[in-house]
Amino acid sequence: MDSLPRTMHAVVLTGHGGLDRLVYRDDVPVPSPAAGEVLVEVSACGMNNTDVWVREGAYGTESDPDAVSSWRGRGERSTLTFPRIQGTDTVGRIVAVGEGVPPSRVGERVVVDFSIYNAEDDSLADIDYIGHGRDGGYADYMTCPSDHAHTTTSTLTDAELATFCCAYLTGEHMLDRAAVAAGERVLVTGASGGVGSAILQLCRARGAIPYAVTAPGKEAAMLEIGAEAAIARTAPDLPAAVAEATGGRPIDVVADLVGGPMFNDLLRILRPEGRYTTAGAIAGPVVQLDLRTLYLKHLQLHGSSQGTRGAFRRLLRYIEEGRIRPLLAGTYRLSDFHRAQRDFMGKGFVGKLVVVPDRKWPGQQ
């Protein structure tokens, strides 16, 4: 630690609200790794919808969906405190270790498992994440438990590696929750976003057949990623448009990231005994449900968030084997974070946006 700087650059979230609540600072103390932890020099960190929703306090509560609330526990047992450094999808190199961690780990190139599990088994009932319950990767340095820093030998760039973690882990766990099997047909909404585009690839990795619901004009990109067919979300009759795209073959699973007015149509599209899984609601979290559709068709509904340790290790294996590929739509300087988040919220891209510390920008070292 003696050879490292004492202060660093970081984007600090100072409270719920607009972009003005995100402050770029150059005087944030470099954290010291506690026992069992490592210090990672950040080289890239991917952006996610959760960053925005947490900043806006847009999670509501079970009794008031419009209440200002953070992610974990929807305000009732939140671990979020201010100031907080967000950023989940961190890639970098270990530059220092805490007590009990082998010094030989210094120098390793790592991908960080961002989940804070709070359990020894696979239960996610009490899960939290780095960037919410503790400081994350929108900074020059961050600490994490040593067993969360996974060494990688991938030939992908750091920015490309930073496109995977949160989106792909979320997508993989959605497919796990719905027990998606080889040969099954999966309808993916919000397919051009980080999680949606990840699910298209993850379906192919397990032998399932994905169909994309996306914004008009993005259909060709969805086919290139791996969709069997792409359906415009503006189709006047979505069930009919999906039936045409599948040639009348049934949809076994809906992986929904949109919600809103589309929700009931998605249940109509599912075959009897089909499964619905969701990890987001970008078009509206409060939906209308016709319970008759649910019980007469014997449907299953699955909520999902983040993923298990096993799913994360499986994701890393997919990366190393080249079974999934990065969809890097744009790279931004950490000091240009406001523009990065505005572009992220504009959704005019396919895949993921990544932030790189200024000191890691080409020509700055």
Side-chain angles (χ1 to χ4, degrees), residues 27 73 155 190 208 211 250 264 328 333 345 352:
D27 60 349
T155 58
Y211 293 82
N264 224 38
L328 179 59
R333 294 176 184 266
M345 293 186 293
K352 293 276 288 187

Side-chain angles (χ1 to χ4, degrees), residues 104-261:
S104 59
R105 293 217 65 187
V106 172
E108 290 181 9
R109 185 189 187 212
V110 296
V111 178
V112 175
D113 180 353
F114 61 92
S115 294
I116 301 173
Y117 293 102
N118 294 320
E120 295 300 321
D121 59 16
D122 281 344
S123 172
L124 302 183
D126 193 28
I127 200 164
D128 200 349
Y129 71 89
I130 295 171
H132 183 273
R134 62 184 288 165
D135 286 339
Y138 293 146
D140 290 333
Y141 299 91
M142 64 163 284
T143 58
C144 70
S146 177
D147 61 356
H148 285 231
H150 293 263
T151 304
T152 180
T153 58
S154 172
T155 58
L156 296 173
T157 67
D158 291 345
E160 288 172 332
L161 280 174
T163 64
F164 288 111
C165 293
C166 184
Y168 284 70
L169 181 64
T170 299
E172 184 71 358
H173 190 56
M174 288 174 71
L175 299 181
D176 283 346
R177 291 279 286 159
V180 173
E184 291 195 306
R185 293 174 184 82
V186 181
L187 185 69
V188 184
T189 69
S192 66
V195 180
S197 58
I199 293 174
L200 296 180
Q201 294 193 62
L202 292 166
C203 281
R204 292 298 187 183
R206 63 174 64 198
I209 306 167
Y211 293 82
V213 177
T214 190
K218 295 183 177 179
E219 293 93 342
M222 300 300 95
L223 299 179
E224 201 274 331
I225 293 169
E228 189 78 3
I231 302 99
R233 70 184 184 207
T234 54
D237 186 339
L238 187 63
V242 171
E244 181 179 358
T246 66
R249 298 177 182 88
I251 292 293
D252 302 285
V253 174
V254 166
D256 182 23
L257 302 158
V258 174

Side-chain angles (χ1 to χ4, degrees), residues 7-8 66 72 87 122 157 185 208 285 288 294 317 323 342 360:
T7 59
M8 65 179 182
D66 296 320
R72 185 177 186 267
D122 281 344
T157 67
R185 293 174 184 82
Q288 286 190 324
L294 177 63
R317 187 173 71 249
R323 297 174 67 183
R342 280 195 298 269
K360 294 294 185 180

